[in-house]
Amino acid sequence: MTETAALRTAPLRARAEIDLAALRANVRTLRALAPGAALMAVVKSDGYGHGAVPCARAAVAAGATWLGTATPEEALALRAADGLDDVRIMCWLWTPGGPWREAVEARLDVSVSGMWALREAVAAAREAGAPARVHLKADTGLGRNGCQPGDDWADLVGEALRAEREGLVTITGLWSHFACADEPGHPSIDAQLGQFREMVAYAEQRGARPEVRHIANSPATLTRPDSHLDLVRTGIAIYGISPSPELGSPADFGLRPVMTLAASVALVKRVPGGHGVSYGHRYITPGATTLGLIPVGYADGIPRHASSAGPVLVNGKWRTVAGRIAMDQFVVDLGGEEPAPGTEAVLFGPGDRGEPTAEDWAQAAGTIAYEIVTRIGTRVPRVYVNVAR
Ligand SMILES: *Cc1c(COP(=O)(O)O)cnc(C)c1O
């Protein structure tokens, strides 16, 4: 990922502008919504495509006291970055043989979902001569990672408490994750919360004294105050995107989209009616018109599923992808207009300059806005604006 000031002076083929003032404001809005809880900024997958380190620094400046990633490698990279030495960093997607010792030495908080992971954390703590900070993960109904209730949980909690008494682990957290928090009123939300309370109560009765109990992701943070507990783990909302359009728009929650994706129109030309456009000729010009070449494609993360559907703002008007999106480029029908090559084409942004949003692209591609921003490829430079607080 390019993160360069030099590039800003030259016209760019394409750029993802990242508004860090918007990100900081989103973090403050979310903190105000969950005033009793610490806020973890989830910056996995390169900050949902926005750039993990700049977004992590901005989130911390706005009051996030935790950062969250999926993989240990992502977490270790954050710890190594300037200015992130003191913040708590948690990672949760481990596989056997992972960098447990490095994680202990880097003072990461690690998730443990099963006995094999606890054993590897304990072994790493012995080698490192320092306790591993572990968050025991309960599967309260998601059916993905996490420890099942009942005997499995009893065994895991028992073993973790034994290791804690030996000074090899500190049980810093008890945690879980929702399956359907983006569907308000879904019965699984109350069921999971109830199950979580029971599993926490069991661990605490046995002697666990976790610093944080946490289950809320962005949708739960926005809609279920009773789920905030000690810590909320907000990902998509810090990037200013609503977890689902049914829940509300970003503006409904006081959030502002952080990423604007724009490209320079590479070519404008007149063509006659009946002209096939792009691979497979899935678009045929209905009459004499002008075509604009937009120099980004699926290699840049523009979903090919949005062929003949994705919206682009050119010269103040919404245009639609004409025919197939190719690896590096696609075409729009400009309806006879002839903007100069180099004119800015905005694929998505906050929406207040009339441009489409990532949600519009999600609808066009049959996916969710999370995927739209996260997929934007490394070939697209990220240009950071409003970096200073
Ligand atoms: C990605 C993730 C989050 C953040 O989810 P959002 O819906 O983006 O807020 C929280 N917790 C876990 C375990 C995750 O994997």
Side-chain angles (χ1 to χ4, degrees):
M1 174 158 316
T2 324
E3 201 194 312
T4 133
L7 275 174
R8 285 189 70 181
T9 61
L12 293 174
R13 170 187 71 101
R15 65 177 198 283
E17 189 176 287
I18 309 298
D19 180 359
L20 292 178
L23 189 142
R24 291 191 299 271
N26 295 335
V27 168
R28 290 193 191 102
T29 297
L30 293 163
R31 283 181 66 212
L33 267 175
L39 186 138
M40 176 188 287
V42 179
V43 293
K44 62 191 179 188
S45 193
D46 204 23
Y48 292 40
H50 296 65
V53 168
C55 291
R57 287 194 190 117
V60 168
T65 49
W66 290 74
L67 300 172
T69 70
T71 71
E73 289 79 9
E74 292 173 315
L76 289 166
L78 288 174
R79 180 61 89 214
D82 285 343
L84 299 178
D85 202 49
D86 294 332
V87 66
R88 300 290 289 273
I89 305 176
M90 177 180 174
C91 55
W92 47 74
L93 192 58
W94 286 89
T95 45
W100 295 96
R101 180 170 177 176
E102 291 86 338
V104 173
E105 288 171 349
R107 295 161 288 116
L108 302 183
D109 281 75
V110 303
S111 176
V112 160
S113 284
M115 213 56 102
W116 73 262
L118 183 60
R119 292 199 185 105
E120 294 204 8
V122 164
R126 278 212 173 84
E127 287 171 29
R133 293 174 177 172
V134 306
H135 295 232
L136 301 179
K137 183 166 197 189
D139 185 348
T140 55
L142 173 60
R144 204 173 70 179
N145 214 344
C147 179
Q148 287 298 114
D151 291 346
D152 288 354
W153 184 245
D155 290 348
L156 187 66
V157 167
E159 191 71 22
L161 285 165
R162 259 191 298 285
E164 190 167 60
R165 284 192 291 273
E166 287 182 57
L168 293 167
V169 311
T170 309
I171 303 173
T172 48
L174 299 173
W175 77 301
S176 190
H177 193 40
F178 281 120
C180 310
D182 57 345
E183 298 175 47
H186 194 287
S188 70
I189 301 171
D190 284 329
Q192 283 197 258
L193 210 43
Q195 179 67 254
F196 186 54
R197 288 187 196 284
E198 277 180 35
M199 292 170 85
V200 167
Y202 174 82
E204 292 183 341
Q205 277 155 21
R206 295 283 307 274
R209 292 291 171 267
E211 201 181 314
V212 285
R213 293 153 292 195
H214 51 109
I215 187 169
N217 52 2
S218 291
T221 302
L222 295 171
T223 63
R224 289 292 302 241
D226 58 336
S227 73
H228 293 170
L229 309 183
D230 302 311
L231 172 82
V232 294
R233 303 188 308 270
T234 47
I236 198 72
I238 73 170
Y239 307 103
I241 292 173
S242 172
S244 95
E246 291 76 43
L247 226 54
S249 71
D252 291 337
F253 298 111
L255 301 171
R256 180 174 173 79
V258 169
M259 182 188 291
T260 296
L261 182 67
S264 280
V265 175
L267 181 75
V268 177
K269 63 181 179 184
R270 302 201 144 274
V271 293
H275 203 301
V277 175
S278 190
Y279 294 132
H281 279 180
R282 296 304 164 95
Y283 183 76
I284 309 283
T285 55
T289 189
T290 48
L291 298 177
L293 183 66
I294 312 298
V296 287
Y298 60 77
D300 301 297
I302 312 305
R304 189 170 177 275
H305 274 86
S307 293
S308 300
V312 185
L313 183 76
V314 186
N315 250 2
K317 290 204 183 77
W318 278 38
R319 304 295 186 183
T320 303
V321 175
R324 285 209 175 123
I325 292 172
M327 187 182 290
D328 313 302
Q329 42 194 308
F330 65 84
V331 174
V332 292
D333 186 334
L334 294 169
E337 284 188 14
E338 291 188 76
T343 294
E344 184 181 63
V346 183
L347 283 78
F348 60 81
D352 51 6
R353 291 184 301 159
E355 74 277 22
T357 62
E359 185 57 46
D360 292 317
W361 274 85
Q363 309 266 327
T367 182
I368 55 177
Y370 290 72
E371 188 179 354
I372 298 296
V373 290
T374 303
R375 283 168 56 108
I376 298 307
T378 53
R379 198 168 69 174
V380 177
R382 271 59 170 177
V383 176
Y384 293 92
V385 301
N386 301 320
V387 175
R389 333 167 53 155

